[in-house]
Structures are given as C-alpha cells and as structure tokens.
Amino acid sequence: MNLSRYIARRYLRSKNSHSVINIIARVSTVAMAVPVVAMVVLMSVFNGLEGMLRDIYLAVDADIVISPAVGTTFARDSLATFHIEQVDGVGSVSYTLEQGAIAEYHDNRTMVRVKGVDEAYAATLPIERHLTSGYFMTDYDGTPTAVATRHILLALRMTNISPRESFSLYAINRQRISTILPTGGYTRRDVGVAGIYNIDDQHSDVLYVSLSEAQRLFNYVGRCSAAELSVAEGADVERVRSRLRALLGDDYRVLTRDEGNTIYRLMAVEKWGVFLLSLIVMAIASLTIVGVLVMVIIDKREERATLLTLGATPSLVRRVFTSQGMMMVRRSMVGGVVVGVVLTLLQQHFGLVRIGAASLMVDAYPVELQWSDVVAVAVGYYAVASVIVWFTVRTMQR
C-alpha cells in the first residue's frame, strides 16, 4: 500500500468541521478541467478547418508537383513521362502551363492567370466537382474554349455564356517586341466559355484553357511550367516524392501538396501557437490548486505534527500533500479530456453548433478529433500542473 497516497485520499474524503475546504477542492478541480475541455475542442476545431481547406484545395493542389529548379518552364520532352508513371505509387500525370494575361470582352478588361492543362488534368485533380455551370472542356468542335470563374465573367460583363461567344486573351510576345508599334508586342487568342467554376477568392482569377492554346498564347510551344501528379490510393506521398527526386535529380523541384501551399504550413504554425498559449492559460487555471493546497496544509498542521511524532519523515509528509494535489490534477485532467472528447464527437457527427451563413460550403462548425492532439493536451496539462503542485508543497514544507 502507498501510505502517502492513502493518507492523501483520506484527507480529500474526510468529514470534519472544515469540510468547506473539501468543497473548495472539488470546485477547483472542476475549474481546472474547464481549460482542458476548451483546449481539446479548440485543437479539434483547427483540425476541422484544416480538413475543410484540404477538401476545397484538393481540386487545385496536386498531390505532387514537379517544376524546374531554374527558370519558369521546361521542355515537355525533357521529362521522361514514361519513367515517372512507372514509379511505384504514381497515379496519373498532367502537364500544365500557367502565366499571367489580360482578358478583354468588348471594352471590358481584367487581369487573369491563364492555366493551360492537358487531357489528363481532370483525371489528376477533381476540378469538375467545383463546376457551377457547363462542363470542364477546353475544346468545342475545334473551337478553343475556357473554364472561368464568375468573378472573371462579371469583370468582363459577359452575360452571354456560350462556347461560340468568345473573348480575347492578350499576353506579351517575347519573340517580337516593338517600341514603335506596341500592339505588335502582344499575342492574342480568342476563346469561348464552356463552363463556370467556383473555389475561393484566392483562385477567382484562374482561367483554364487547353495546354496547346496556352503554349501558343505565351509563345512557349512544347514547354510547360509544371507536371502535376496524383498519388495512387494507399501510397505514401513522402515515399513517392523521394523516389521521384532520386529519378529526376537536381534539375527539378518535387514538392508535395503541403510544401507547395503555404496555407497548410500557416495553419499548422497557428495551431501549435494556440496550443502554447493555451498551456499558459492552463498554467494560470492550475494556480487555483495553490490556494487549496495552502489551506489543506494549514488545516492539517495538527495531523502533520502527529505523523512526525509517530516517526514519519518530512519527505513522507511532503509526499502526502503532493499526492493530494496530484489527485486533483488527475481528476481534472480525466474529466476535462472526457468532456472535451464527448463535445467534439457530438459536433463532429451531429453538427450541433451551426454557422448560419448560406454563403459558406458548410453549415456547421467543422471539427475533427485527433487522438494525438488529445494526448498532447493531457500530457501538457499534467506536466504544467505537476510542476505547480511540486513547487507549492516544497515551498510550504520547508
């Protein structure tokens, strides 16, 4: 039997005239559990937001992107497509060319990012799920077409949406620059509208055309700016990236979705920044145990003297009060974790808390419970509270 723990348990359950201290201890235990609950829910909210962003950007962020290490474009023939597709874990490969241009319809103009894609793009990235009208089609009976956002069409004041109703794209002609005749320094291509898509404001200026049309517009015939790859189901992205890097060498950069989109890194930094701030809040909440332990030590001074008279060492007495404090810590930790997990699971499966905004893609606050976060919260809280208990008992028992 652990003597110090047994005595500490008796102190917590004692029915004496000073039972108000036990009531205060129970209230303090509940107060210490509240920040644990909040932290579990908060970490789950960050996971839910990150998951929602990943679902949104799944249509525009490929699993792996290959781009030139030097310059902005590379010759498509220089990349051994056959060898890339033979790499274990690679699903499909799509070549793209993305550059800035000016779109014009009658007297209306707007800046756009033209992204030329090949026939394998729709099979590599699920862009079609974000179509709000029409089809993801870059050619209609031999006529070049584009897939645009509503933002671009509103800027052009283009109301007649049809593959046969074309607008113009202008890009700088790198092969022919004239200071005497400025119009000669531009390349013009006319395209119709086959479909309308919507993702978010960050991609509101992206216009999809065929790869060959983009190559003619930017005078990059036979060249691409990136090769976008999908990873086969069940394959590990990091292992596939390592194999591709070994295959391609230093001439190309191979980036995963998390490396290519800074939003994911910012979300991770923000999440763990909030975790550290929450630890400070939990440390402050754990200070309530200081007052409880001080009152207990003062209240039990006669019992402490009795224990010392019976032969107990000062170390044993310190362990008694330390055990009492740690019991409060464990109870608050377990209670806070259980309540936090239950609230998170209820929100995750039933969506009890609604956003109430029809313009968003979800109607309930997104949450996602990850057990690694629960363990991190429990360990962090236990470590902080243990230090506070130990320091309090050592200070009062000198």
Side-chain angles (χ1 to χ4, degrees):
M1 181 181 63
N2 192 316
L3 181 60
S4 60
R5 189 175 301 172
Y6 175 78
I7 297 174
R9 190 179 297 112
R10 293 284 297 177
Y11 282 172
L12 282 176
R13 298 175 180 177
S14 63
K15 304 292 184 181
N16 53 26
S17 59
H18 300 286
S19 60
V20 64
I21 296 178
N22 295 334
I23 297 175
I24 294 175
R26 295 188 184 97
V27 173
S28 299
T29 302
V30 174
M32 292 161 56
V34 170
V36 179
V37 175
M39 200 165 176
V40 171
V41 174
L42 186 61
M43 298 288 281
S44 301
V45 169
F46 271 97
N47 295 333
L49 291 174
E50 183 179 356
M52 184 181 68
L53 287 176
R54 288 183 180 276
D55 289 340
I56 293 175
Y57 293 140
L58 188 65
V60 292
D61 291 336
D63 294 331
I64 295 177
V65 176
I66 302 173
S67 59
V70 179
T72 58
T73 63
F74 61 91
R76 178 172 178 173
D77 296 338
S78 66
L79 206 59
T81 307
F82 174 77
H83 296 296
I84 292 176
E85 292 177 342
Q86 294 302 310
V87 172
D88 186 25
V90 172
S92 59
V93 183
S94 174
Y95 290 90
T96 63
L97 175 62
E98 184 173 353
Q99 297 281 329
I102 298 175
E104 181 186 54
Y105 181 71
H106 295 168
D107 294 329
N108 305 304
R109 301 176 184 84
T110 186
M111 295 293 299
V112 296
R113 284 187 295 160
V114 176
K115 185 168 186 176
V117 298
D118 60 10
E119 297 81 4
Y121 188 80
T124 305
L125 290 96
I127 183 65
E128 293 181 334
R129 70 168 60 173
H130 291 278
L131 287 174
T132 59
S133 178
Y135 303 92
F136 191 84
M137 185 171 53
T138 56
D139 182 85
Y140 180 76
D141 290 340
T143 302
T145 56
V147 181
T149 63
R150 193 168 299 278
H151 172 80
I152 295 175
L153 300 178
L154 289 175
L156 297 176
R157 297 184 181 179
M158 193 173 182
T159 57
N160 186 16
I161 309 302
S162 170
R164 303 191 182 279
E165 182 68 17
S166 63
F167 63 94
S168 301
L169 293 173
Y170 293 92
I172 295 177
N173 190 336
R174 299 176 298 102
Q175 299 177 351
R176 184 180 59 189
I177 299 177
S178 174
T179 57
I180 299 176
L181 188 61
T183 56
Y186 291 89
T187 301
R188 170 181 170 178
R189 305 296 300 179
D190 296 331
V191 294
V193 179
I196 304 173
Y197 78 98
N198 179 52
I199 296 180
D200 65 347
D201 293 340
Q202 184 180 353
H203 298 85
S204 61
D205 61 341
V206 178
L207 181 77
Y208 291 95
V209 299
S210 67
L211 178 60
S212 59
E213 193 68 17
Q215 290 172 339
R216 286 190 287 266
L217 175 65
F218 299 117
N219 301 116
Y220 277 132
V221 177
R223 301 187 68 84
C224 304
S225 58
E228 304 187 15
L229 286 66
S230 65
V231 174
E233 185 177 356
D236 185 79
V237 177
E238 294 297 331
R239 291 184 179 179
V240 176
R241 181 192 62 171
S242 299
R243 298 185 186 115
L244 289 171
R245 282 182 174 176
L247 174 66
L248 299 175
D250 297 332
D251 294 335
Y252 296 91
R253 291 182 300 175
V254 183
L255 301 177
T256 63
R257 179 187 291 114
D258 291 348
E259 294 172 332
N261 195 331
T262 58
I263 292 180
Y264 303 136
R265 296 197 296 270
L266 290 176
M267 287 288 294
V269 171
E270 187 175 2
K271 172 183 174 181
W272 293 110
V274 170
F275 176 80
L276 294 177
L277 292 176
S278 299
L279 279 181
I280 298 175
V281 174
M282 287 196 301
I284 296 173
S286 300
L287 292 177
T288 59
I289 202 174
V290 175
V292 175
L293 286 176
V294 170
M295 288 188 293
V296 170
I297 292 172
I298 294 174
D299 180 62
K300 302 298 182 182
R301 57 183 179 273
E302 295 181 0
E303 288 85 347
R304 181 180 54 185
T306 302
L307 288 174
L308 292 174
T309 302
L310 292 174
T313 62
S315 175
L316 175 61
V317 175
R318 282 196 297 268
R319 289 200 302 271
V320 169
F321 294 112
T322 301
S323 297
Q324 185 171 356
M326 294 309 299
M327 287 180 186
M328 297 174 58
V329 170
R330 284 190 289 270
R331 290 179 181 180
S332 61
M333 180 190 69
V334 173
V337 167
V338 170
V339 174
V341 169
V342 169
L343 291 178
T344 301
L345 291 177
L346 287 175
Q347 177 66 20
Q348 182 174 333
H349 293 288
F350 301 103
L352 302 180
V353 181
R354 301 287 175 175
I355 296 178
S359 59
L360 297 179
M361 297 184 64
V362 293
D363 57 353
Y365 280 97
V367 296
E368 180 184 345
L369 182 67
Q370 294 184 3
W371 292 107
S372 58
D373 293 340
V374 176
V375 172
V377 170
V379 171
Y381 170 74
Y382 193 81
V384 170
S386 299
V387 171
I388 293 176
V389 169
W390 179 87
F391 183 79
T392 302
V393 174
R394 293 286 297 185
T395 303
M396 293 297 296
Q397 289 293 305
R398 286 181 179 177

